[in-house]
């Protein structure tokens, strides 16, 4: 099992999207790489912290590669947008890839070298802080199927789904 953290705008849609992927074992939403310890959603909305809305993804590397996860992420985000994805704007909606395994940084940067032009706006950083988001945010779109989501779940091919 491996773990990677993706920020791709509102974490509700990112979590739902990756929870559908074959080889993803677990997802949860939280706040990454902010300045405050244990920030709340309201702290981000009011500008009291600069953490990004982030999805922790635990996956089986025997089924799913990090490169495939990156491919899937790039299908649903604009990698050149700053602090905005879909209708959501603000620093908490920036895009990022936060790693705990140093070798993942090399994989990500090599993948981006061949799949993106050089001025992409996705942060690629070690995970410094991560705090679990409030319970009502966990699996939000499963609990609220008509909730707002900027991600088109149809971007997942049937062969990529659980």
């Amino acid at each position: 099992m491996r773990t990677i953290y993706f920020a791709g705008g509102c974490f509700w849609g990112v979590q739902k999207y990756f929870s559908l992927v074959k080889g993803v074992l677990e997802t949860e939403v939280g706040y990454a790489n902010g300045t405050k310890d244990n920030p709340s959603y309201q702290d981000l909305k009011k500008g009291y912290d600069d953490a990004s809305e982030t999805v922790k993804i635990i996956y089986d590397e025997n089924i799913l590669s990090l490169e495939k996860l990156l491919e899937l992420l790039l299908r649903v985000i604009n990698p050149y947008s700053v602090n905005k994805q879909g209708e959501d704007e603000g620093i908490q909606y920036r895009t990022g890839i936060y790693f705990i395994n140093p070798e993942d940084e090399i994989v990500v940067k090599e993948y981006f070298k061949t799949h993106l032009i050089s001025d992409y706006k996705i942060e690629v950083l070690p995970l410094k802080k991560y705090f679990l988001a409030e319970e009502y945010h966990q699996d939000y779109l499963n609990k609220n199927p008509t909730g707002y989501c900027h991600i088109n779940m149809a971007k997942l091919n049937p062969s990529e789904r659980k």
Side-chain angles (χ1 to χ4, degrees), residues 7-9 72-86 93-96 116-117 119-123 150-151 155:
L72 296 172
L73 178 67
L74 291 177
R75 282 186 203 166
V76 295
I77 65 162
N78 177 348
Y80 306 103
S81 179
V82 177
N83 299 337
K84 182 177 182 348
Q85 292 293 315
Y93 300 116
R94 69 187 179 273
T95 55
L116 294 173
I117 55 175
D119 67 341
Y120 61 85
K121 304 304 180 199
I122 303 169
E123 295 181 329
H150 71 287
I151 291 182
K155 299 253 180 169

Side-chain angles (χ1 to χ4, degrees), residues 33-83:
N33 285 8
T35 53
K36 188 175 182 173
D37 284 343
N38 205 23
S40 70
Y41 184 70
Q42 288 306 314
D43 289 335
L44 274 63
K45 294 302 267 183
K46 293 177 181 176
Y48 299 153
D49 192 48
D50 63 351
S52 64
E53 290 192 15
T54 301
V55 178
K56 177 181 181 181
I57 301 170
I58 300 172
Y59 65 101
D60 183 339
E61 73 274 17
N62 296 312
I63 297 172
L64 185 63
S65 68
L66 179 54
E67 291 90 346
K68 182 64 176 182
L69 285 168
L70 296 169
E71 173 193 331
L72 296 172
L73 178 67
L74 291 177
R75 282 186 203 166
V76 295
I77 65 162
N78 177 348
Y80 306 103
S81 179
V82 177
N83 299 337

Side-chain angles (χ1 to χ4, degrees), residues 10-21 24-31 53-57 130 132-149 153 162:
C10 175
F11 51 21
W12 298 342
V14 177
Q15 180 182 35
K16 175 70 175 181
Y17 178 75
F18 282 100
S19 73
L20 299 173
V21 173
V24 171
L25 306 173
E26 188 179 323
T27 61
E28 69 179 28
V29 296
Y31 309 114
E53 290 192 15
T54 301
V55 178
K56 177 181 181 181
I57 301 170
Y130 175 80
L132 189 65
E134 298 83 350
E135 180 55 37
Y136 72 94
H137 288 298
Q138 304 301 325
D139 297 307
Y140 183 86
L141 291 177
N142 288 345
K143 298 171 191 169
N144 303 280
T146 59
Y148 167 75
C149 180
M153 302 300 159
K162 291 181 182 172

